């Protein structure tokens, strides 16, 4: 019984406003610990230059995303910056059962949904060193001006969720 409990996997949920450097932190963690499993989300957003289907996201059309959401394929899903994102339930359940630590890069709504449904996971909020740094990082990515504006205005709301996380990390 104790051994079974010890072997049970758990999630490390990382959230941050866009541009805080969450993807780089996740990449560094995965490079340091090869036993970590990364949850590749489904998204209706268009791929950015260099992004690969099945690696960065499973890129789906809105109809297919809706079908999967209705079928209960997602552990959680949310609309973020005008697009839909969802965490594939099957992958999480299989990896947790196998005793793996699973890394999730999801937004504050998704983190809250999962916290309501599961116990024993770890949540981490990544903060940018300053507002100016956040804006600069967003401009360095090849997002559209509209997307940058939406992401900056959403960042204010996202930062309000930070106190509910287990750990805070300033990514400077
Ligand atoms: P981006 O479009 O910049 O890749 O991601 C936008 C936001 O969606 C980020 O905050 C990212 O963490 C979040 N996100 C990515 N995958 C998921 C997911 O499966 N569920 C939820 N709720 N948010 C996600």
């Amino acid at each position: 019984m104790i051994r079974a409990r010890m072997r049970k996997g758990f999630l490390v949920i990382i959230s941050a406003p866009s541009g805080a450097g969450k993807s780089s932190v996740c990449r560094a963690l995965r490079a340091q610990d090869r036993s970590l499993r990364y949850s590749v989300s489904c998204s209706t957003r268009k791929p950015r230059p260099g992004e690969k289907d099945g690696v960065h996201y499973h890129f789906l059309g809105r109809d297919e995303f809706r079908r999967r959401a209705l079928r209960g394929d997602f552990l959680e899903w949310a609309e973020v910056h005008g697009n839909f994102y969802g965490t594939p339930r099957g992958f999480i359940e299989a990896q947790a059962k196998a005793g793996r630590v699973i890394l999730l890069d999801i937004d504050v709504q998704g983190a809250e949904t999962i916290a309501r449904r599961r116990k024993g996971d770890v949540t981490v909020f990544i903060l940018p060193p300053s507002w100016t740094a956040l804006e600069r990082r967003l401009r360095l990515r090849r997002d559209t001006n509209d997307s940058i504006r939406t992401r900056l205005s959403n960042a204010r709301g996202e930062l309000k969720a930070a106190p509910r996380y287990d750990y805070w990390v300033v990514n400077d």
Side-chain angles (χ1 to χ4, degrees):
M1 164 82 174
I2 289 174
R3 190 178 299 159
R5 275 181 66 85
M6 281 172 61
R7 282 217 318 258
K8 205 165 159 251
F10 62 92
L11 314 185
V12 175
I13 300 175
I14 304 206
S15 301
S18 276
K22 187 175 26 157
S23 312
S24 321
V25 170
C26 288
R27 242 192 329 272
L29 280 172
R30 290 164 70 193
Q32 268 177 35
D33 184 346
R34 298 278 174 191
S35 72
L36 277 178
R37 292 291 177 267
Y38 181 71
S39 166
V40 178
S41 294
C42 294
S43 177
T44 61
R45 151 164 98 55
K46 297 266 173 298
R48 294 196 187 108
E51 282 186 335
K52 289 198 179 71
D53 186 39
V55 176
H56 296 91
Y57 283 106
H58 300 290
F59 293 103
L60 302 178
R62 287 194 164 226
D63 287 346
E64 178 59 20
F65 189 98
R66 231 174 262 128
R67 244 192 312 275
R68 293 192 194 191
L70 285 172
R71 215 161 54 194
D73 286 4
F74 300 129
L75 179 61
E76 64 72 37
W77 65 269
E79 184 174 356
V80 191
H81 315 313
N83 294 300
F84 293 111
Y85 296 82
T87 302
R89 180 193 298 280
F91 178 82
I92 300 289
E93 287 178 353
Q95 296 296 325
K97 202 166 156 201
R100 300 290 185 182
V101 179
I102 311 147
L103 195 60
L104 281 81
D105 165 349
I106 63 174
D107 90 316
V108 297
Q109 306 170 74
E112 274 168 28
T113 306
I114 292 181
R116 275 199 305 274
R117 294 184 180 163
R118 296 174 43 97
K119 293 281 164 273
D121 298 324
V122 175
T123 56
V124 183
F125 197 92
I126 313 266
L127 292 153
S130 67
W131 192 259
T132 324
L134 186 71
E135 202 169 339
R136 195 175 49 240
R137 285 183 195 168
L138 274 178
R139 294 199 187 285
L140 279 174
R141 299 200 316 203
R142 281 170 280 175
D143 268 6
T144 60
N145 281 340
D146 261 8
S147 161
I148 293 171
R149 259 195 303 278
T150 312
R151 282 160 191 263
L152 277 173
S153 90
N154 290 349
R156 294 185 195 279
E158 289 163 340
L159 286 169
K160 289 196 187 122
R164 294 195 287 276
Y165 281 66
D166 299 323
Y167 298 95
W168 309 326
V169 176
V170 177
N171 181 24
D172 56 0

